[in-house]
Amino acid sequence: RDFHTNHLLRMSGICAVTEQLARSAAGMRSATGRAGTIAATDAIVAALAVVSDDPVVLTSDPSDIRALVDTVSQSVTVARV
């Protein structure tokens, strides 16, 4: 019944939000010039993506994630779902 959800969760990893990751996310969020309109959660996801190998971020709102990852030189694939 929850096959697709369970399959996605098995393929996903759970990562701790360290102080270093949080600081990186905050810096990216500030660098967009839109810190007041971009969710901290999106910033954490983007910060984690930029330190990952071949990152792909699936999101219903790609504009905020793109704005965040555009503040750094790492390439991140962002796809709307």
Side-chain angles (χ1 to χ4, degrees):
R1 162 172 98 174
D2 295 322
F3 172 79
H4 295 292
T5 299
N6 290 329
H7 182 68
L8 177 63
L9 291 173
R10 278 192 304 275
M11 292 174 42
S12 302
I14 297 173
C15 300
V17 178
T18 62
E19 181 179 350
Q20 181 179 359
L21 183 66
R23 288 184 181 278
S24 176
M28 292 169 68
R29 194 170 172 219
S30 292
T32 66
R34 298 177 32 214
T37 63
I38 293 179
T41 304
D42 284 345
I44 293 290
V45 169
L48 183 58
V50 299
V51 296
S52 300
D53 295 328
D54 300 320
V56 176
V57 176
L58 305 176
T59 178
S60 61
D61 184 12
S63 63
D64 287 349
I65 299 292
R66 282 195 189 108
L68 289 157
V69 299
D70 284 349
T71 67
V72 297
S73 60
Q74 171 71 21
S75 176
V76 176
T77 301
V78 180
R80 178 184 294 276
V81 292

